[in-house]
Amino acid sequence: MTEMADEVARLFKGEEITKVLTMESSGIAIGFAVGAKLSVPMVFAKKNKSSNVSGDVYTANVHSYTHNNDYVATVSAEYLRAGDKILIVDDFLANGQALLGLIEIVRSAGAEVAGAGIVIEHKDNLFILVVLLFQVDPLLQAAHQLAHTAENGNTMLRLSQFFLCADE
């Protein structure tokens, strides 16, 4: 995990990232590691309504591929601000819906998406997929393309960069 966090941090060094955003709960480990490497806070979106999140919130409807259900991803407005430059980091990318939800939350806050780093585990290897796009619209197009590709059963991914890290 350290090597993957190092690589994501290296790729986004100098981009003035102010926060790392991920989805609970399995994205927290890689999100925290990347945030620590970049010396910025990590924020996570909750998948379920919680009594410890109150006041103004940013939300997005997300369909879970792995659980085949819908949920409302939620981030307290106190953690995301207009002007923040957000790096989205997550641990799984099935059809891009969680990524799209996180992008929607960032946009709702008036913040900017700097890019996304997604770790994908496949059999005995760990893959890290990094999308190096600095405009929201191309990132959304890439996520939509990935969702369309996944739905059609085509495994070819056409995103910016793909790194293979051996699972040790």
Coordinates of all heavy atoms in Angstrom, one line a residue, residues 86-164:
I86 N -9.4 18.9 -4.9 CA -9.6 17.5 -4.4 C -9.0 16.4 -5.3 O -9.2 16.4 -6.5 CB -11.1 17.3 -4.3 CG1 -11.8 18.3 -3.4 CG2 -11.4 15.9 -3.7 CD1 -11.4 18.5 -2.0
L87 N -8.3 15.5 -4.7 CA -7.9 14.3 -5.3 C -8.8 13.2 -4.8 O -8.8 12.9 -3.6 CB -6.4 14.0 -5.0 CG -5.8 12.7 -5.5 CD1 -5.9 12.6 -7.0 CD2 -4.4 12.5 -5.0
I88 N -9.5 12.5 -5.7 CA -10.3 11.4 -5.3 C -9.5 10.1 -5.4 O -8.8 9.9 -6.4 CB -11.5 11.3 -6.3 CG1 -12.4 12.6 -6.2 CG2 -12.3 10.0 -6.0 CD1 -13.5 12.6 -7.2
V89 N -9.5 9.4 -4.3 CA -8.8 8.1 -4.2 C -9.8 7.1 -3.7 O -10.5 7.3 -2.8 CB -7.6 8.3 -3.2 CG1 -6.9 6.9 -3.1 CG2 -6.6 9.3 -3.7
D90 N -9.8 5.9 -4.3 CA -10.7 4.8 -3.9 C -10.0 3.5 -4.1 O -9.0 3.4 -4.8 CB -12.0 4.9 -4.6 CG -13.1 4.3 -3.8 OD1 -12.9 3.8 -2.6 OD2 -14.3 4.3 -4.3
D91 N -10.6 2.4 -3.6 CA -10.0 1.1 -3.7 C -10.6 0.2 -4.7 O -10.1 -0.9 -4.9 CB -10.1 0.5 -2.3 CG -11.5 -0.1 -2.1 OD1 -12.4 0.7 -2.3 OD2 -11.6 -1.2 -1.6
F92 N -11.6 0.6 -5.4 CA -12.3 -0.3 -6.3 C -13.0 0.5 -7.4 O -13.6 1.6 -7.1 CB -13.3 -1.1 -5.5 CG -14.0 -2.2 -6.3 CD1 -13.3 -3.3 -6.8 CD2 -15.3 -2.0 -6.7 CE1 -14.0 -4.3 -7.5 CE2 -16.0 -3.0 -7.5 CZ -15.3 -4.1 -7.9
L93 N -13.0 0.0 -8.6 CA -13.7 0.7 -9.7 C -14.4 -0.4 -10.5 O -13.7 -1.0 -11.3 CB -12.7 1.5 -10.5 CG -13.3 2.4 -11.6 CD1 -14.1 3.5 -10.9 CD2 -12.2 3.1 -12.4
A94 N -15.6 -0.6 -10.3 CA -16.4 -1.6 -11.0 C -17.0 -1.0 -12.3 O -16.7 -1.4 -13.4 CB -17.4 -2.3 -10.2
N95 N -17.8 0.0 -12.0 CA -18.4 0.6 -13.2 C -18.4 2.2 -13.1 O -19.1 2.8 -13.9 CB -19.9 0.1 -13.4 CG -20.7 0.5 -12.2 OD1 -20.4 1.2 -11.3 ND2 -21.9 -0.1 -12.1
G96 N -17.7 2.7 -12.2 CA -17.5 4.2 -12.2 C -18.5 4.9 -11.4 O -18.4 6.2 -11.3
Q97 N -19.5 4.3 -10.9 CA -20.6 5.0 -10.2 C -20.2 5.7 -8.9 O -20.6 6.8 -8.7 CB -21.8 4.1 -10.0 CG -22.4 3.5 -11.2 CD -22.9 4.6 -12.1 OE1 -23.7 5.5 -11.8 NE2 -22.4 4.6 -13.4
A98 N -19.4 5.1 -8.1 CA -18.9 5.7 -6.9 C -18.0 6.9 -7.3 O -18.1 8.0 -6.7 CB -18.1 4.7 -6.0
L99 N -17.2 6.8 -8.3 CA -16.3 7.9 -8.8 C -17.2 9.0 -9.2 O -17.0 10.2 -8.9 CB -15.4 7.4 -9.9 CG -14.6 8.5 -10.6 CD1 -13.6 9.2 -9.6 CD2 -13.8 7.9 -11.7
L100 N -18.3 8.8 -10.0 CA -19.2 9.8 -10.4 C -19.9 10.5 -9.3 O -20.0 11.7 -9.2 CB -20.2 9.2 -11.4 CG -19.7 8.8 -12.8 CD1 -20.8 8.1 -13.5 CD2 -19.2 10.0 -13.5
G101 N -20.3 9.7 -8.2 CA -20.9 10.3 -7.1 C -19.9 11.2 -6.3 O -20.3 12.3 -5.9
L102 N -18.7 10.8 -6.2 CA -17.7 11.6 -5.5 C -17.4 12.9 -6.3 O -17.3 14.0 -5.7 CB -16.4 10.8 -5.2 CG -16.5 9.7 -4.2 CD1 -15.2 8.9 -4.2 CD2 -16.9 10.2 -2.8
I103 N -17.4 12.8 -7.6 CA -17.2 14.0 -8.4 C -18.4 14.9 -8.2 O -18.2 16.2 -8.1 CB -17.1 13.6 -9.9 CG1 -15.7 12.9 -10.1 CG2 -17.2 14.9 -10.8 CD1 -15.6 12.3 -11.5
E104 N -19.6 14.4 -8.2 CA -20.8 15.2 -8.0 C -20.8 15.9 -6.6 O -21.1 17.1 -6.5 CB -22.0 14.3 -8.0 CG -23.3 15.1 -7.9 CD -24.6 14.2 -8.0 OE1 -24.5 13.1 -8.7 OE2 -25.6 14.5 -7.4
I105 N -20.3 15.2 -5.6 CA -20.2 15.9 -4.3 C -19.1 17.0 -4.3 O -19.4 18.1 -3.8 CB -19.8 14.8 -3.2 CG1 -21.0 13.9 -2.9 CG2 -19.2 15.4 -1.9 CD1 -20.7 12.7 -2.1
V106 N -18.0 16.8 -4.9 CA -17.0 17.8 -5.0 C -17.5 19.0 -5.8 O -17.4 20.2 -5.3 CB -15.7 17.3 -5.8 CG1 -14.7 18.4 -6.1 CG2 -15.1 16.2 -4.9
R107 N -18.2 18.8 -6.9 CA -18.8 19.9 -7.6 C -19.9 20.7 -6.8 O -20.0 21.9 -6.9 CB -19.4 19.4 -8.9 CG -18.4 18.9 -9.9 CD -19.1 18.4 -11.2 NE -19.1 19.4 -12.2 CZ -19.6 19.3 -13.4 NH1 -20.2 18.2 -13.7 NH2 -19.5 20.3 -14.2
S108 N -20.7 19.9 -6.1 CA -21.7 20.6 -5.2 C -21.1 21.5 -4.2 O -21.7 22.5 -3.8 CB -22.5 19.5 -4.5 OG -23.3 18.7 -5.4
A109 N -19.9 21.2 -3.7 CA -19.2 22.0 -2.8 C -18.5 23.2 -3.4 O -18.0 24.1 -2.7 CB -18.1 21.2 -2.0
G110 N -18.5 23.3 -4.7 CA -17.8 24.4 -5.4 C -16.3 24.2 -5.4 O -15.5 25.1 -5.7
A111 N -15.9 22.9 -5.2 CA -14.4 22.6 -5.2 C -14.1 22.1 -6.6 O -14.9 21.9 -7.4 CB -14.1 21.6 -4.1
E112 N -12.8 21.8 -6.8 CA -12.3 21.4 -8.1 C -11.7 19.9 -7.9 O -11.1 19.6 -7.0 CB -11.1 22.3 -8.5 CG -10.4 21.9 -9.7 CD -9.2 22.8 -10.0 OE1 -9.0 23.8 -9.4 OE2 -8.4 22.3 -10.9
V113 N -12.0 19.1 -8.9 CA -11.5 17.8 -9.0 C -10.1 17.9 -9.7 O -10.1 18.2 -10.9 CB -12.4 16.8 -9.7 CG1 -11.7 15.4 -9.9 CG2 -13.7 16.6 -9.0
A114 N -9.1 17.5 -9.0 CA -7.7 17.5 -9.6 C -7.5 16.2 -10.4 O -6.7 16.3 -11.4 CB -6.7 17.7 -8.5
G115 N -8.1 15.2 -10.0 CA -7.9 13.9 -10.6 C -8.3 12.8 -9.7 O -8.9 13.0 -8.7
A116 N -8.0 11.5 -10.1 CA -8.4 10.4 -9.3 C -7.4 9.3 -9.4 O -6.8 9.1 -10.4 CB -9.8 9.8 -9.8
G117 N -7.2 8.6 -8.3 CA -6.3 7.5 -8.2 C -7.1 6.3 -7.7 O -7.6 6.4 -6.6
I118 N -7.3 5.3 -8.4 CA -8.1 4.1 -8.0 C -7.2 2.9 -8.0 O -6.6 2.5 -9.0 CB -9.3 3.9 -9.0 CG1 -10.0 5.2 -9.3 CG2 -10.2 2.8 -8.5 CD1 -10.7 5.8 -8.1
V119 N -7.2 2.2 -6.9 CA -6.5 0.9 -6.7 C -7.5 -0.2 -7.1 O -8.6 -0.3 -6.5 CB -6.0 0.7 -5.3 CG1 -5.3 -0.6 -5.1 CG2 -5.0 1.8 -5.0
I120 N -7.1 -1.1 -7.9 CA -7.9 -2.2 -8.3 C -7.2 -3.5 -8.0 O -6.1 -3.7 -8.5 CB -8.3 -2.2 -9.8 CG1 -9.0 -0.8 -10.1 CG2 -9.1 -3.4 -10.2 CD1 -9.2 -0.6 -11.6
E121 N -7.8 -4.4 -7.2 CA -7.2 -5.7 -6.9 C -7.7 -6.7 -7.9 O -8.9 -6.8 -8.1 CB -7.5 -6.1 -5.5 CG -6.8 -7.4 -5.1 CD -7.0 -7.8 -3.7 OE1 -7.7 -7.0 -2.9 OE2 -6.6 -8.9 -3.3
H122 N -6.8 -7.4 -8.5 CA -7.2 -8.4 -9.5 C -6.4 -9.7 -9.2 O -5.2 -9.7 -9.5 CB -7.0 -7.9 -10.9 CG -7.3 -8.9 -11.9 ND1 -8.6 -9.4 -12.1 CD2 -6.6 -9.5 -12.8 CE1 -8.6 -10.2 -13.1 NE2 -7.4 -10.3 -13.6
K123 N -7.0 -10.7 -8.7 CA -6.3 -12.0 -8.4 C -5.1 -11.8 -7.5 O -5.3 -11.3 -6.4 CB -6.0 -12.7 -9.7 CG -7.2 -13.2 -10.5 CD -6.8 -14.0 -11.7 CE -8.1 -14.3 -12.4 NZ -7.8 -15.1 -13.6
D124 N -3.9 -12.2 -8.0 CA -2.7 -12.1 -7.1 C -2.0 -10.8 -7.3 O -0.9 -10.6 -6.6 CB -1.8 -13.2 -7.4 CG -2.4 -14.6 -7.1 OD1 -3.2 -14.6 -6.1 OD2 -2.1 -15.6 -7.8
N125 N -2.5 -9.9 -8.1 CA -1.8 -8.6 -8.3 C -2.6 -7.4 -7.9 O -3.8 -7.5 -7.9 CB -1.4 -8.4 -9.8 CG -0.5 -9.5 -10.2 OD1 0.5 -9.8 -9.6 ND2 -0.8 -10.1 -11.4
L126 N -2.0 -6.3 -7.5 CA -2.7 -5.1 -7.3 C -2.4 -4.2 -8.4 O -1.2 -4.0 -8.8 CB -2.2 -4.4 -6.0 CG -2.7 -5.1 -4.7 CD1 -2.1 -4.4 -3.5 CD2 -4.2 -5.2 -4.6
F127 N -3.4 -3.5 -9.0 CA -3.3 -2.6 -10.0 C -3.6 -1.2 -9.5 O -4.6 -1.1 -8.7 CB -4.2 -2.9 -11.2 CG -3.9 -4.2 -11.9 CD1 -4.5 -5.4 -11.4 CD2 -3.0 -4.3 -12.9 CE1 -4.2 -6.6 -12.0 CE2 -2.8 -5.5 -13.5 CZ -3.4 -6.7 -13.1
I128 N -3.0 -0.2 -9.9 CA -3.4 1.1 -9.6 C -3.7 1.9 -10.9 O -2.9 1.8 -11.8 CB -2.3 1.9 -8.8 CG1 -2.8 3.3 -8.4 CG2 -1.0 2.0 -9.5 CD1 -2.0 4.0 -7.4
L129 N -4.8 2.4 -10.9 CA -5.3 3.2 -12.1 C -5.4 4.6 -11.7 O -6.1 5.0 -10.8 CB -6.7 2.7 -12.5 CG -7.4 3.3 -13.6 CD1 -6.7 3.1 -14.9 CD2 -8.8 2.8 -13.7
V130 N -4.6 5.5 -12.4 CA -4.6 6.9 -12.1 C -5.1 7.7 -13.3 O -4.6 7.5 -14.4 CB -3.2 7.4 -11.7 CG1 -3.1 8.8 -11.5 CG2 -2.6 6.6 -10.5
V131 N -6.1 8.5 -13.1 CA -6.6 9.3 -14.1 C -6.1 10.7 -13.9 O -6.4 11.4 -12.9 CB -8.2 9.4 -14.0 CG1 -8.7 10.3 -15.1 CG2 -8.7 8.0 -14.1
L132 N -5.2 11.2 -14.8 CA -4.6 12.5 -14.6 C -5.3 13.5 -15.5 O -4.8 13.8 -16.6 CB -3.1 12.4 -15.0 CG -2.2 11.6 -14.1 CD1 -0.8 11.5 -14.7 CD2 -2.1 12.3 -12.7
L133 N -6.4 14.0 -15.1 CA -7.1 15.0 -15.8 C -7.4 16.1 -14.9 O -7.8 15.9 -13.7 CB -8.5 14.4 -16.3 CG -8.3 13.2 -17.3 CD1 -9.6 12.6 -17.6 CD2 -7.7 13.8 -18.6
F134 N -7.3 17.3 -15.3 CA -7.4 18.5 -14.5 C -8.6 19.3 -14.8 O -8.7 20.4 -14.4 CB -6.1 19.3 -14.6 CG -4.9 18.5 -14.1 CD1 -4.1 17.8 -15.0 CD2 -4.7 18.3 -12.8 CE1 -3.1 17.1 -14.6 CE2 -3.6 17.5 -12.3 CZ -2.8 16.9 -13.3
Q135 N -9.5 18.8 -15.6 CA -10.8 19.4 -15.8 C -11.9 18.4 -15.5 O -11.7 17.2 -15.8 CB -10.9 19.8 -17.3 CG -9.9 20.9 -17.7 CD -10.0 21.1 -19.2 OE1 -10.8 20.5 -19.9 NE2 -9.2 22.0 -19.7
V136 N -12.9 18.8 -14.9 CA -14.0 17.9 -14.4 C -14.7 17.2 -15.6 O -14.9 16.0 -15.6 CB -15.0 18.6 -13.6 CG1 -16.2 17.7 -13.3 CG2 -14.4 19.1 -12.3
D137 N -15.0 17.9 -16.7 CA -15.7 17.3 -17.8 C -15.0 16.1 -18.4 O -15.6 15.1 -18.6 CB -16.1 18.3 -18.8 CG -17.2 19.3 -18.3 OD1 -17.9 18.9 -17.4 OD2 -17.2 20.4 -18.8
P138 N -13.7 16.2 -18.7 CA -13.1 15.0 -19.3 C -13.0 13.8 -18.3 O -13.2 12.7 -18.6 CB -11.6 15.5 -19.6 CG -11.8 16.9 -19.8 CD -12.8 17.4 -18.8
L139 N -12.9 14.1 -17.0 CA -12.9 13.1 -16.0 C -14.3 12.4 -15.9 O -14.4 11.2 -15.9 CB -12.6 13.7 -14.6 CG -12.4 12.7 -13.5 CD1 -11.4 11.6 -13.8 CD2 -12.0 13.4 -12.2
L140 N -15.3 13.2 -16.0 CA -16.7 12.6 -16.1 C -16.9 11.8 -17.3 O -17.4 10.7 -17.3 CB -17.7 13.8 -16.1 CG -18.0 14.4 -14.7 CD1 -18.9 15.6 -14.9 CD2 -18.7 13.4 -13.8
Q141 N -16.4 12.3 -18.5 CA -16.5 11.5 -19.7 C -15.7 10.2 -19.5 O -16.2 9.1 -20.0 CB -15.9 12.3 -20.9 CG -16.8 13.5 -21.3 CD -16.1 14.3 -22.3 OE1 -15.0 14.1 -22.7 NE2 -16.8 15.4 -22.6
A142 N -14.6 10.2 -18.9 CA -13.8 8.9 -18.7 C -14.6 8.0 -17.8 O -14.7 6.8 -18.1 CB -12.4 9.2 -18.1
A143 N -15.2 8.5 -16.7 CA -16.0 7.6 -15.8 C -17.2 7.1 -16.6 O -17.5 5.9 -16.4 CB -16.4 8.4 -14.6
H144 N -17.9 7.9 -17.4 CA -19.0 7.4 -18.1 C -18.6 6.3 -19.1 O -19.3 5.3 -19.3 CB -19.7 8.6 -18.9 CG -20.6 9.4 -18.0 ND1 -21.7 8.9 -17.4 CD2 -20.5 10.7 -17.6 CE1 -22.3 9.8 -16.7 NE2 -21.6 10.9 -16.8
Q145 N -17.4 6.6 -19.8 CA -16.9 5.6 -20.7 C -16.6 4.3 -20.0 O -17.0 3.2 -20.5 CB -15.7 6.1 -21.4 CG -15.0 5.0 -22.3 CD -15.9 4.6 -23.4 OE1 -16.6 5.3 -24.0 NE2 -15.8 3.3 -23.7
L146 N -16.0 4.4 -18.8 CA -15.7 3.2 -18.0 C -17.0 2.4 -17.6 O -17.1 1.2 -17.7 CB -14.9 3.5 -16.8 CG -14.5 2.3 -15.9 CD1 -13.7 1.3 -16.7 CD2 -13.8 2.8 -14.7
A147 N -18.0 3.2 -17.2 CA -19.3 2.6 -16.8 C -19.9 1.9 -18.0 O -20.4 0.7 -17.9 CB -20.2 3.6 -16.3
H148 N -19.9 2.5 -19.2 CA -20.4 1.9 -20.4 C -19.6 0.7 -20.8 O -20.2 -0.4 -21.1 CB -20.4 2.9 -21.5 CG -20.8 2.4 -22.8 ND1 -22.2 2.1 -23.1 CD2 -20.2 2.0 -24.0 CE1 -22.3 1.6 -24.3 NE2 -21.1 1.5 -24.9
T149 N -18.3 0.8 -20.7 CA -17.4 -0.4 -21.0 C -17.7 -1.5 -20.1 O -17.8 -2.7 -20.5 CB -15.9 0.0 -20.9 OG1 -15.7 1.1 -21.8 CG2 -15.0 -1.1 -21.2
A150 N -17.8 -1.3 -18.7 CA -18.1 -2.3 -17.8 C -19.4 -3.0 -18.0 O -19.6 -4.2 -17.9 CB -18.0 -1.8 -16.4
E151 N -20.4 -2.2 -18.4 CA -21.8 -2.7 -18.6 C -21.8 -3.7 -19.8 O -22.6 -4.6 -19.9 CB -22.8 -1.6 -18.8 CG -23.1 -0.9 -17.5 CD -23.9 0.3 -17.7 OE1 -24.4 0.6 -18.9 OE2 -24.1 1.1 -16.8
N152 N -21.0 -3.4 -20.8 CA -20.9 -4.2 -22.0 C -20.0 -5.4 -21.9 O -19.8 -6.1 -22.9 CB -20.5 -3.3 -23.2 CG -21.6 -2.3 -23.6 OD1 -22.8 -2.6 -23.4 ND2 -21.2 -1.2 -24.1
G153 N -19.3 -5.5 -20.8 CA -18.5 -6.7 -20.5 C -17.1 -6.6 -21.3 O -16.4 -7.5 -21.3
N154 N -16.8 -5.4 -21.8 CA -15.6 -5.2 -22.4 C -14.6 -4.8 -21.4 O -14.8 -3.8 -20.7 CB -15.7 -4.1 -23.5 CG -14.4 -3.9 -24.3 OD1 -13.4 -4.2 -23.9 ND2 -14.6 -3.3 -25.4
T155 N -13.5 -5.5 -21.2 CA -12.5 -5.2 -20.2 C -11.5 -4.2 -20.5 O -10.6 -3.8 -19.8 CB -11.8 -6.5 -19.7 OG1 -11.1 -7.0 -20.8 CG2 -12.8 -7.4 -19.1
M156 N -11.5 -3.6 -21.7 CA -10.5 -2.7 -22.1 C -10.8 -1.3 -21.5 O -11.8 -0.7 -21.7 CB -10.4 -2.5 -23.7 CG -9.4 -1.6 -24.2 SD -9.3 -1.8 -26.0 CE -7.6 -1.1 -26.2
L157 N -9.8 -0.8 -20.8 CA -9.9 0.5 -20.1 C -9.1 1.5 -20.9 O -8.0 1.3 -21.2 CB -9.4 0.4 -18.7 CG -10.1 -0.6 -17.8 CD1 -9.5 -0.6 -16.4 CD2 -11.6 -0.3 -17.7
R158 N -9.8 2.6 -21.2 CA -9.1 3.7 -22.0 C -9.0 4.9 -21.1 O -9.7 5.9 -21.3 CB -9.8 4.0 -23.2 CG -9.8 2.8 -24.2 CD -10.5 3.2 -25.5 NE -10.5 2.0 -26.3 CZ -11.2 1.9 -27.4 NH1 -11.9 2.9 -27.8 NH2 -11.1 0.8 -28.2
L159 N -8.2 4.9 -20.1 CA -7.9 6.0 -19.2 C -6.5 6.4 -19.2 O -5.7 5.7 -19.8 CB -8.4 5.7 -17.8 CG -9.9 5.4 -17.7 CD1 -10.3 4.9 -16.3 CD2 -10.8 6.6 -18.0
S160 N -6.1 7.5 -18.6 CA -4.8 8.1 -18.8 C -3.6 7.2 -18.5 O -2.7 7.1 -19.3 CB -4.7 9.4 -17.9 OG -5.7 10.3 -18.4
Q161 N -3.6 6.6 -17.3 CA -2.4 5.9 -17.0 C -2.7 4.6 -16.2 O -3.7 4.6 -15.4 CB -1.4 6.7 -16.1 CG -0.9 7.9 -16.9 CD 0.4 8.4 -16.3 OE1 1.1 7.7 -15.6 NE2 0.7 9.7 -16.5
F162 N -2.0 3.6 -16.4 CA -2.2 2.3 -15.7 C -0.9 1.7 -15.2 O 0.0 1.6 -16.0 CB -2.8 1.3 -16.8 CG -3.4 0.1 -16.2 CD1 -4.5 0.1 -15.4 CD2 -2.7 -1.1 -16.4 CE1 -5.0 -1.1 -14.9 CE2 -3.2 -2.3 -15.9 CZ -4.4 -2.3 -15.1
F163 N -0.8 1.5 -13.9 CA 0.4 1.0 -13.3 C 0.1 -0.4 -12.7 O -0.9 -0.6 -12.0 CB 0.9 2.0 -12.2 CG 1.2 3.3 -12.7 CD1 0.2 4.3 -12.7 CD2 2.4 3.6 -13.3 CE1 0.4 5.6 -13.2 CE2 2.7 4.9 -13.7 CZ 1.7 5.9 -13.7
L164 N 1.1 -1.3 -12.8 CA 1.0 -2.6 -12.2 C 2.0 -2.7 -11.1 O 3.2 -2.4 -11.2 CB 1.3 -3.7 -13.2 CG 1.5 -5.1 -12.7 CD1 0.1 -5.6 -12.1 CD2 1.9 -6.0 -13.8

